[in-house]
Amino acid sequence: MAKSNKPPLTDRDNLSLTEVLHALSDPVRLEIVRQLDEAGEKACGKFGLDMPKSSLSHHFRILRQSGVIASEGQGTILMNRLCWKELETSFPNLIESILAGVRSEQRRPARGRTKK
Amino acid sequence: MAKSNKPPLTDRDNLSLTEVLHALSDPVRLEIVRQLDEAGEKACGKFGLDMPKSSLSHHFRILRQSGVIASEGQGTILMNRLCWKELETSFPNLIESILAGVRSEQRRPARGRTKK
């Protein structure tokens, strides 16, 4: 993919439910979405996530390709926003119920993962 | 895993949002869930899904391990049900909004997948 300040986005009128759910099925990506919901918009480097830049780019790419977030170059900075309106149009109440779930899990006491 | 009429289930009081979203991020698994929502309960072989038994077992296992469905041996038949109440308790409105999304996508004209 050629580098650009304007990364390709999927067709917003045609979000795929399975792609959106896949994009949101990862704790790092859910945290990015949670922070964007709180902040409105945020630059890629400002999420306080301790991981290699390549991993972070991978997570942003999946969120962007699914149409969950949109990114826009502002000078040398890539700003991200949650595509709340587009998600709400395609899948009413979905993003709200997922964000409520994220907040609810964050309030729970720490626990081990359920068995596989 | 030892074969049993009572497959192991995750702790229903502790559903994981990412595991539930992962379980629902596949078109086959969404179709299983949609049919269970309509039927109440259904035996594994009655979903009309044209795929190898091993693939189908894989999908049922992921749904079961995430706590999205529960399965119970009734004689020689494994009956499945959607864990609506458990999902609703952990993540209010989530399963309802996802099922609405499935029905909405099924009403849409067929289309190619969005680019990766």
Short mmCIF file of all heavy atoms in Angstrom, two decimals, chain B residues 66-88:
data_model
loop_
_atom_site.label_atom_id
_atom_site.label_comp_id
_atom_site.label_asym_id
_atom_site.label_seq_id
_atom_site.Cartn_x
_atom_site.Cartn_y
_atom_site.Cartn_z
N SER B 66 -17.17 -19.49 24.28
CA SER B 66 -17.34 -18.06 24.60
C SER B 66 -18.56 -17.83 25.47
O SER B 66 -18.76 -16.74 26.01
CB SER B 66 -17.49 -17.26 23.31
OG SER B 66 -18.71 -17.60 22.67
N GLY B 67 -19.42 -18.86 25.59
CA GLY B 67 -20.65 -18.72 26.37
C GLY B 67 -21.81 -18.16 25.57
O GLY B 67 -22.85 -17.83 26.14
N VAL B 68 -21.65 -18.02 24.24
CA VAL B 68 -22.74 -17.49 23.41
C VAL B 68 -23.86 -18.53 23.28
O VAL B 68 -25.03 -18.18 23.28
CB VAL B 68 -22.22 -17.07 22.01
CG1 VAL B 68 -23.37 -16.75 21.06
CG2 VAL B 68 -21.29 -15.86 22.14
N ILE B 69 -23.47 -19.80 23.15
CA ILE B 69 -24.49 -20.86 23.13
C ILE B 69 -24.16 -21.88 24.22
O ILE B 69 -23.03 -21.94 24.71
CB ILE B 69 -24.58 -21.59 21.75
CG1 ILE B 69 -23.35 -22.44 21.48
CG2 ILE B 69 -24.81 -20.59 20.62
CD1 ILE B 69 -23.51 -23.40 20.29
N ALA B 70 -25.16 -22.66 24.57
CA ALA B 70 -24.95 -23.79 25.47
C ALA B 70 -25.47 -25.03 24.77
O ALA B 70 -26.42 -24.96 23.99
CB ALA B 70 -25.70 -23.57 26.78
N SER B 71 -24.83 -26.16 25.02
CA SER B 71 -25.22 -27.41 24.37
C SER B 71 -25.46 -28.46 25.44
O SER B 71 -24.75 -28.52 26.44
CB SER B 71 -24.11 -27.89 23.43
OG SER B 71 -23.73 -26.85 22.56
N GLU B 72 -26.47 -29.28 25.20
CA GLU B 72 -26.80 -30.30 26.19
C GLU B 72 -27.17 -31.59 25.48
O GLU B 72 -27.95 -31.57 24.52
CB GLU B 72 -28.00 -29.82 27.03
CG GLU B 72 -28.20 -30.63 28.28
CD GLU B 72 -29.43 -30.16 29.07
OE1 GLU B 72 -30.05 -29.17 28.64
OE2 GLU B 72 -29.77 -30.79 30.07
N GLY B 73 -26.59 -32.69 25.95
CA GLY B 73 -26.91 -33.98 25.37
C GLY B 73 -28.31 -34.41 25.74
O GLY B 73 -28.68 -34.38 26.91
N GLN B 74 -29.11 -34.75 24.72
CA GLN B 74 -30.46 -35.31 24.98
C GLN B 74 -30.48 -36.66 24.27
O GLN B 74 -30.73 -36.72 23.08
CB GLN B 74 -31.55 -34.38 24.45
CG GLN B 74 -31.58 -33.04 25.19
CD GLN B 74 -32.73 -32.14 24.77
OE1 GLN B 74 -33.55 -32.53 23.95
NE2 GLN B 74 -32.79 -30.95 25.32
N GLY B 75 -30.16 -37.72 25.02
CA GLY B 75 -29.99 -39.03 24.40
C GLY B 75 -28.76 -38.98 23.50
O GLY B 75 -27.69 -38.60 23.94
N THR B 76 -28.96 -39.27 22.20
CA THR B 76 -27.82 -39.27 21.28
C THR B 76 -27.69 -37.94 20.55
O THR B 76 -26.81 -37.77 19.72
CB THR B 76 -28.01 -40.38 20.21
OG1 THR B 76 -29.26 -40.14 19.55
CG2 THR B 76 -28.02 -41.75 20.85
N ILE B 77 -28.56 -37.00 20.88
CA ILE B 77 -28.55 -35.71 20.17
C ILE B 77 -27.98 -34.60 21.06
O ILE B 77 -28.26 -34.55 22.25
CB ILE B 77 -30.00 -35.34 19.73
CG1 ILE B 77 -30.48 -36.35 18.69
CG2 ILE B 77 -30.07 -33.93 19.18
CD1 ILE B 77 -31.95 -36.23 18.38
N LEU B 78 -27.17 -33.72 20.43
CA LEU B 78 -26.65 -32.56 21.16
C LEU B 78 -27.51 -31.35 20.80
O LEU B 78 -27.52 -30.90 19.66
CB LEU B 78 -25.18 -32.32 20.76
CG LEU B 78 -24.36 -31.40 21.64
CD1 LEU B 78 -24.29 -31.91 23.08
CD2 LEU B 78 -22.95 -31.23 21.09
N MET B 79 -28.27 -30.88 21.78
CA MET B 79 -29.16 -29.74 21.53
C MET B 79 -28.48 -28.44 21.95
O MET B 79 -27.80 -28.38 22.97
CB MET B 79 -30.46 -29.90 22.33
CG MET B 79 -31.34 -31.02 21.84
SD MET B 79 -31.93 -30.77 20.13
CE MET B 79 -33.25 -29.59 20.41
N ASN B 80 -28.68 -27.42 21.13
CA ASN B 80 -28.05 -26.12 21.37
C ASN B 80 -29.10 -25.06 21.64
O ASN B 80 -30.19 -25.09 21.07
CB ASN B 80 -27.25 -25.71 20.13
CG ASN B 80 -26.23 -26.75 19.74
OD1 ASN B 80 -25.20 -26.87 20.36
ND2 ASN B 80 -26.55 -27.54 18.71
N ARG B 81 -28.73 -24.11 22.49
CA ARG B 81 -29.59 -22.95 22.70
C ARG B 81 -28.71 -21.70 22.79
O ARG B 81 -27.54 -21.76 23.15
CB ARG B 81 -30.44 -23.10 23.97
CG ARG B 81 -29.66 -23.03 25.26
CD ARG B 81 -30.54 -22.92 26.49
NE ARG B 81 -29.73 -22.92 27.70
CZ ARG B 81 -29.16 -21.83 28.23
NH1 ARG B 81 -29.32 -20.66 27.68
NH2 ARG B 81 -28.42 -21.93 29.33
N LEU B 82 -29.29 -20.58 22.43
CA LEU B 82 -28.62 -19.30 22.55
C LEU B 82 -28.69 -18.84 24.01
O LEU B 82 -29.77 -18.88 24.61
CB LEU B 82 -29.32 -18.29 21.63
CG LEU B 82 -28.80 -16.85 21.61
CD1 LEU B 82 -27.33 -16.80 21.21
CD2 LEU B 82 -29.63 -16.01 20.64
N CYS B 83 -27.56 -18.42 24.59
CA CYS B 83 -27.55 -18.00 26.01
C CYS B 83 -27.97 -16.53 26.11
O CYS B 83 -27.20 -15.68 26.60
CB CYS B 83 -26.16 -18.20 26.59
SG CYS B 83 -25.65 -19.92 26.61
N TRP B 84 -29.17 -16.25 25.65
CA TRP B 84 -29.67 -14.87 25.59
C TRP B 84 -29.61 -14.19 26.96
O TRP B 84 -29.09 -13.09 27.09
CB TRP B 84 -31.10 -14.88 25.04
CG TRP B 84 -31.67 -13.52 24.86
CD1 TRP B 84 -32.10 -12.66 25.85
CD2 TRP B 84 -31.81 -12.80 23.63
NE1 TRP B 84 -32.51 -11.48 25.30
CE2 TRP B 84 -32.35 -11.54 23.94
CE3 TRP B 84 -31.54 -13.13 22.30
CZ2 TRP B 84 -32.63 -10.59 22.96
CZ3 TRP B 84 -31.82 -12.18 21.33
CH2 TRP B 84 -32.35 -10.93 21.66
N LYS B 85 -30.13 -14.88 27.97
CA LYS B 85 -30.22 -14.26 29.30
C LYS B 85 -28.83 -13.94 29.86
O LYS B 85 -28.60 -12.85 30.40
CB LYS B 85 -30.96 -15.24 30.24
CG LYS B 85 -31.36 -14.63 31.56
CD LYS B 85 -32.14 -15.64 32.40
CE LYS B 85 -31.98 -15.34 33.88
NZ LYS B 85 -32.39 -16.49 34.71
N GLU B 86 -27.90 -14.89 29.70
CA GLU B 86 -26.55 -14.69 30.22
C GLU B 86 -25.86 -13.54 29.48
O GLU B 86 -25.16 -12.71 30.07
CB GLU B 86 -25.73 -15.98 30.06
CG GLU B 86 -26.24 -17.15 30.91
CD GLU B 86 -27.34 -17.95 30.22
OE1 GLU B 86 -27.93 -17.48 29.23
OE2 GLU B 86 -27.62 -19.07 30.71
N LEU B 87 -26.05 -13.49 28.14
CA LEU B 87 -25.45 -12.42 27.34
C LEU B 87 -26.05 -11.06 27.73
O LEU B 87 -25.34 -10.07 27.88
CB LEU B 87 -25.68 -12.67 25.85
CG LEU B 87 -24.81 -13.78 25.23
CD1 LEU B 87 -25.42 -14.27 23.92
CD2 LEU B 87 -23.39 -13.29 25.00
N GLU B 88 -27.36 -11.06 27.91
CA GLU B 88 -28.06 -9.83 28.24
C GLU B 88 -27.63 -9.30 29.62
O GLU B 88 -27.52 -8.10 29.83
CB GLU B 88 -29.57 -10.09 28.19
CG GLU B 88 -30.45 -8.88 28.15
CD GLU B 88 -30.17 -7.93 26.99
OE1 GLU B 88 -29.58 -8.35 25.97
OE2 GLU B 88 -30.50 -6.74 27.12
#
